[in-house]
Structure formats: C-alpha cells, structure tokens
Amino acid sequence: MRKIYIFDTTLRDGEQSPGVNLNVQEKVEIGLQLEKLGIDRIEAGFPAASPGDLAAVGAVARAVKNATIIGLARSREQDIEAVREALALAQDPCIHLFLATSPIHRKHKLRMEKHQVLEAAEAAIKYAKKYFSKIEFSPEDAGRTELDFLCEVTEMAIRAGATVVNIPDTVGYMTPSEFGNIFKTLKDNVRGIEKIQLSAHCHDDLGMATANALAAVLNGADQIEGTINGIGERAGNTSLEEVAMALETRQEFFQAKTGLVLGEIYRTSRLVSKLTGMVVPGNKAIVGANAFAHESGIHQDGMLKEKTTYEIMSPETIGLKESKLVMGKHSGRHAFREKLVDLGYELEGEQLNVAFAKFKDLADRKKNVSDEDLRALIEEKLVATPEVFAFDAIQVSYSNQSAPSATVRLHHEGQAIEVSAEGNGSVDAIYMAIDKATEEEVELDDYSIQSVTQGKDALGEVHVVLKQNGISVSGRGVSTDILEASAKAYIDAINRLIDKRKSPGAGRRDNVSLI
Ligand code: KIV
Ligand code: ZN
C-alpha cells in the first residue's frame, strides 16, 4: 500500500472561511488535536498576513512536536522572512510558496508574462532554500494553467529546490478525469519528478473536491491537502475525513492509505466546528449527525439483521461510540468522569468540578443526559476565553401585542450589572440589553440555532458571528432554553472580541492580497 501524506490547512485555508477568526489559543488547541489525529503536515497560517498570524504559527510550531509545521508565503522575500521568524522554533519546519500560473491570473492579477512568472517563482524558491530544507511550491490556479506551461513550472521548481509541488484547483473548476490527467501528465513528462512529492489541493465550488483529490491519488499524488469538515474559502476545501475514510473503506480499489488515527476523526471535527462556529450539516459525509442514522423501516430492519446491509463503515471507526453508561441526576462524580473518558475527554481538578456542576444542573432540567448533550456541555468551555463578562440570569417578557423586553444580569470585575431593554423580538431584546450592559457596539452578522439531540427538552446550541470595526468573532452558547443559549452565545462572542482587541487576531488577512 502506498502511503498518502495528509496536509491539513484548516488553520490557513480553513480559516479563510467567511466569519472564521481563530485566536492563538484556539489555533494551538486545533493544532494539538490535529497532531492526535496523526496529520503529517499542518499548515498553521500565513505569517506575513498579520502579526497575530505570525504569532499563532509560532505558537503552533512550539506546541506541536509530531508533525511538520508549514507557513504560507507569497513568492516574495518579506513573506519568506516572516515564515522564517514564525517557524524559528519548529522541530520540522516547511515553507509553502505560491505564485499564480494560469493565463487568467497572469493577465489580470499579476500582469506578468510566462517568463516573469517562472523567474519570480525560481528566485523565491532559491531564496527560501537558504533557510528551509523542505519547500512546497504551488502554481496557484494550476487547474486552469496550460498543461505544457505547468510542466515547465514544475520542472523549474524541482531544479530550484522544491521538495513538494502542489497542484491547486484554486477555483474548484476541475472534474476528476481532468484533474487526474494533470498528475499523469506531470508524472510522464517532467524531468526529475521522481525526486519530489506531488500534492493535490482542491476546492469544492462544484462539489467535486474530494472526488478530484481521489482522482489525483489514482494518478500518483503522494499528498492530499484539505481541511477538517471541508471548511475553507467559498465552498471550502477537500474534506480530509472524507479522503481518509474513502481510502480506508476502499483500500483495495485505491491501493493507498493514510497514517491517520481514524478514531480521532469525530472529536477533531467537533472541535473545529465549535471553535470556528461553522456548524457541520446533518447530512455531511462521515461526520454529519445523520451520517450513521437509519430512518426508514426497511433500512432499520436490514441493520438489525446484519449491519453491513446498509452500513459501509462503522461509526466506531471514526470514534463515534455510544457508551453503555446512562447518565441522569443520580449519577455520581465517578461515573461522570468514567463517562467523559469514554467519550475521549480527560478532565481533572477544577475543570472536572466545573463540568460536573454543569452536568448536575442539566440533569435537573433533563431526565436522560445523552452523549451528545455531554459533548456539547464539555466543549462549551474547552478553550476558555477570559470571561470579562459572565452570564448570570435573564428574564424575558413576551407578548405578540407589544414589544418584548428582557432583563439581563451579568458579572463584570466582581460586580453584578443588571440592564433591561426592549427589542423587535425576544432575542433582539436580550441582545439590546447585553449591548447596554457591556457598552459594546457590535453588529450581529450571523445567528443560527440547532438542537443537539431530539425531544422537547433537547439542548439548543446557538452560534453567532459579531462584527466590530472589521474584526469578526464567533460565539457559542448551549442550554435547554434557546433564549438562554442565545444570551450565552452573544456574551461568549463579546468576550472573544475583547480578547481579540487585546491580542490582535491570529488570522485576519482581509487587507492582504494573495498576490
Ligand atoms: O487554493 C489555492 O490555490 C491555495 C494556494 C495558496 C495553495 O490555497
Ligand atoms: Zn486553497
């Protein structure tokens, strides 16, 4: 079996998803989980984009020991220097250089002729070679680049010292047979191709990112790039969990496998969803809530007789297991801790105390606390943003005859603040009151709500995205009451905003052109 290297760009391309803005601590948290998942190469950010991104790449490089850490750079000396600085303490650093090569990009974006593109890329690779033994080069928009020119660029990159040449379908335009053919053509025609690894980087604009990546594998790609849950610019990137499970489930067909720890897939997916605020759709392959649910009677009957009738992979493989311990208000601390270990969370000391108190509170409101409820509760506070404002209580008065009003009580610097406001609806009234209490002027950019489990007493999970002066942050709140969940999500986002203002965003690169 050929090994396929997995290059994760959740922290770079994934963070380019609209509304996603991870801080340094969150990037490190995801980096450590990617390490547990067995990712070979982690693209931690784009250091030249902002001081915050440079700091975050550095922090990930210091924290993660068992993966190559990569920083992205345009083909410019100042970008290469920024990656150098960010990766100074990385155990296994790598620089990822890119320059667009397609006719459209050459003409309209770069205003460069072919020979100028070749010269600029060659100069950048040679400059980077002085400091990095591992260099990946990406001819951006390779999918729409003339094949003979792509061969020329690849040959130049190999001569100049690149160790990986990545083929990006930057705009998600390729079909699997076309994309596969690029790899075959490069393999057959480029001198020195055996000295480097070929990589595939696909976007999902036409819903073909995973199919294209797998076509690349069939045609000799050594590495697949993508993100967890397929998040990323526009329609997103190749979903790494889909690639991993396709190679696992169809091993004989692909004759290739990844080194991923598949049992960490589900946990990684949840962590990324929680920290980015990007909710995983229920029907998403592999990690969606319905991916292993069987609804129709015929399917259920088949499943009861023999699982393989309707299940091509088992949920346990990706770490999704329902454990036997049923949790309720009589469950003690020991059982609670065991249950968490079962679900993959090892909490100790104060963290365990807080989680246990939250569980007891939930068990008072809800008869049976499911695994999903527990995951939602624990993950709510997994990465603690300093609680400048802490939620205490809300009271809402609603009538369809008059404007709803809300009173909110928060704690701030040891003092309780209680403020009332009216709004267009109950949630609006709560948010008006929180705005007054925190004295923050924010714009609500997105609000979404979903139920964690079924039933009238299910936990509701609210995600919000707030904007202030070009900074965008997400927040999450969980409660059996959706108004309370809404308040918690909003306060969480405000705390993140305050934190972000203190230590500038890790990944905001709105003003940096990818040229
Ligand atoms: O999609 C793309 O072309 C990229 C490059 C920077 C590799 O993300
Ligand atoms: Zn990309």
Side-chain angles (χ1 to χ4, degrees):
M1 290 271 166
R2 238 162 28 94
K3 165 157 178 167
I4 302 297
Y5 290 83
I6 297 294
F7 176 119
D8 179 283
T9 183
T10 305
L11 299 177
R12 198 276 300 169
D13 223 337
E15 211 217 8
Q16 285 172 222
S17 311
V20 173
N21 194 346
L22 299 165
N23 64 31
V24 174
Q25 199 188 356
E26 290 164 337
K27 279 199 159 193
V28 169
E29 190 78 22
I30 292 177
L32 290 170
Q33 180 56 36
L34 293 174
E35 183 180 32
K36 277 196 199 149
L37 177 62
I39 294 286
D40 303 289
R41 296 159 186 175
I42 299 175
E43 186 165 55
F46 180 11
S50 72
D53 220 4
L54 192 150
V57 174
V60 173
R62 287 191 297 279
V64 175
K65 303 284 176 237
N66 296 311
T68 304
I69 304 297
I70 296 147
L72 181 71
R74 290 164 294 188
S75 292
R76 302 176 177 185
E77 288 185 8
Q78 84 229 41
D79 279 31
I80 297 169
E81 290 300 336
V83 175
R84 220 180 129 196
E85 187 183 336
L87 295 185
L89 297 178
Q91 296 214 337
D92 187 13
C94 171
I95 187 165
H96 179 189
L97 292 166
F98 71 97
L99 186 62
T101 50
S102 66
I104 296 181
H105 281 234
R106 289 195 315 261
K107 180 168 175 211
H108 300 289
K109 189 177 87 168
L110 300 177
R111 297 200 175 94
M112 281 165 115
E113 298 297 328
K114 281 183 182 171
H115 74 93
Q116 292 172 301
V117 169
L118 282 167
E119 281 156 21
E122 183 175 11
I125 298 171
K126 285 189 170 156
Y127 186 83
K129 199 70 192 168
K130 291 195 273 187
Y131 310 110
F132 293 93
S133 60
K134 293 189 177 172
I135 300 178
E136 170 165 320
F137 177 73
S138 288
E140 193 194 2
D141 204 15
R144 293 189 297 172
T145 299
E146 307 91 327
L147 260 178
D148 56 345
F149 185 51
L150 194 59
C151 288
E152 207 181 327
V153 171
T154 306
E155 211 162 292
M156 170 282 299
I158 298 169
R159 269 200 320 273
T163 48
V164 177
V165 172
N166 176 44
I167 304 300
D169 178 20
T170 303
V171 288
Y173 184 73
M174 294 278 93
T175 63
S177 61
E178 287 170 319
F179 198 60
N181 183 48
I182 295 181
F183 286 79
K184 185 169 171 359
T185 307
L186 293 175
K187 286 260 172 199
D188 289 347
N189 295 292
V190 172
R191 256 190 306 262
I193 197 80
E194 68 292 341
K195 292 192 214 141
I196 58 140
Q197 290 190 341
L198 270 182
S199 167
H201 177 113
C202 301
H203 281 267
D204 208 29
D205 299 67
L206 293 173
M208 290 190 274
T210 299
N212 286 341
L214 293 171
V217 169
L218 289 174
N219 285 280
D222 307 282
Q223 171 177 286
I224 295 300
E225 303 196 356
T227 59
I228 301 300
N229 301 336
I231 64 169
E233 189 88 42
R234 305 182 311 278
N237 290 58
T238 300
S239 253
L240 290 179
E241 65 277 8
E242 291 176 12
V243 171
M245 288 309 289
L247 294 183
E248 168 74 13
T249 311
R250 303 299 311 274
Q251 263 183 42
E252 283 184 13
F253 178 72
F254 288 106
Q255 292 294 313
K257 61 175 187 182
T258 70
L260 294 194
V261 182
L262 301 174
E264 290 293 331
I265 286 181
Y266 189 64
R267 230 182 329 274
T268 314
S269 160
R270 290 195 58 105
L271 182 72
V272 168
S273 169
K274 184 182 78 75
L275 295 183
T276 58
M278 295 204 60
V279 177
V280 176
N283 64 338
K284 164 85 179 63
I286 317 297
V287 289
N290 300 339
F292 295 98
H294 301 272
E295 176 79 16
S296 91
I298 295 173
H299 287 209
Q300 288 175 347
D301 179 58
M303 282 292 291
L304 290 171
K305 288 179 176 146
E306 165 57 45
K307 280 190 174 181
T308 53
T309 50
Y310 288 103
E311 216 166 66
I312 58 165
M313 339 164 236
S314 78
E316 289 80 17
T317 314
I318 63 158
L320 181 57
K321 51 176 187 196
E322 282 295 316
S323 65
K324 303 278 175 291
L325 283 172
V326 177
M327 303 301 287
K329 70 175 175 189
H330 301 298
S331 308
R333 208 181 140 83
H334 183 73
F336 176 69
R337 195 172 168 282
E338 285 300 300
K339 178 77 173 187
L340 293 190
V341 171
D342 238 29
L343 295 176
Y345 303 103
E346 302 214 2
L347 302 191
E348 297 293 345
E350 190 46 28
Q351 268 194 325
L352 182 62
N353 294 342
V354 173
F356 188 59
K358 283 172 66 171
F359 157 67
K360 280 289 178 186
D361 183 40
L362 178 64
D364 272 342
R365 303 192 205 185
K366 200 170 187 279
K367 190 165 175 290
N368 286 325
V369 179
S370 71
D371 289 1
E372 284 306 306
D373 292 330
L374 283 176
R375 287 191 183 103
L377 266 193
I378 301 306
E379 289 170 358
E380 196 184 9
K381 286 275 169 277
L382 218 56
V383 175
T385 311
E387 277 200 311
V388 180
F389 292 98
F391 171 81
D392 185 357
I394 47 168
Q395 192 175 346
V396 178
S397 155
Y398 173 77
S399 144
N400 60 359
Q401 307 295 317
S402 59
S405 64
T407 303
V408 175
R409 191 163 65 231
L410 309 178
H411 286 281
H412 176 57
E413 294 178 347
Q415 294 208 321
I417 313 172
E418 201 168 292
V419 176
S420 302
E422 287 188 349
N424 290 329
S426 304
V427 173
D428 190 42
I430 293 169
Y431 288 179
M432 294 284 198
I434 298 174
D435 284 348
K436 276 201 215 167
T438 58
E439 295 177 5
E440 291 288 345
E441 270 187 38
V442 291
E443 191 189 318
L444 179 64
D445 205 34
D446 196 15
Y447 172 94
S448 66
I449 182 160
Q450 58 173 16
S451 96
V452 173
T453 46
Q454 287 90 12
K456 277 195 287 187
D457 60 356
L459 281 179
E461 189 172 314
V462 172
H463 284 269
V464 295
V465 177
L466 302 186
K467 266 196 180 156
Q468 187 187 65
N469 301 330
I471 305 180
S472 155
V473 284
S474 60
R476 178 175 173 273
V478 177
S479 170
T480 45
D481 184 282
I482 55 170
L483 295 179
E484 185 174 314
S486 302
K488 284 180 167 175
Y490 200 80
I491 294 165
D492 183 38
I494 286 189
N495 284 330
R496 284 162 186 262
L497 187 69
I498 295 168
D499 191 45
K500 192 138 284 169
R501 279 201 307 253
K502 277 198 226 126
S503 55
R508 256 4 286 158
R509 48 182 77 102
D510 297 340
N511 302 324
V512 180
S513 69
L514 286 177
I515 302 181

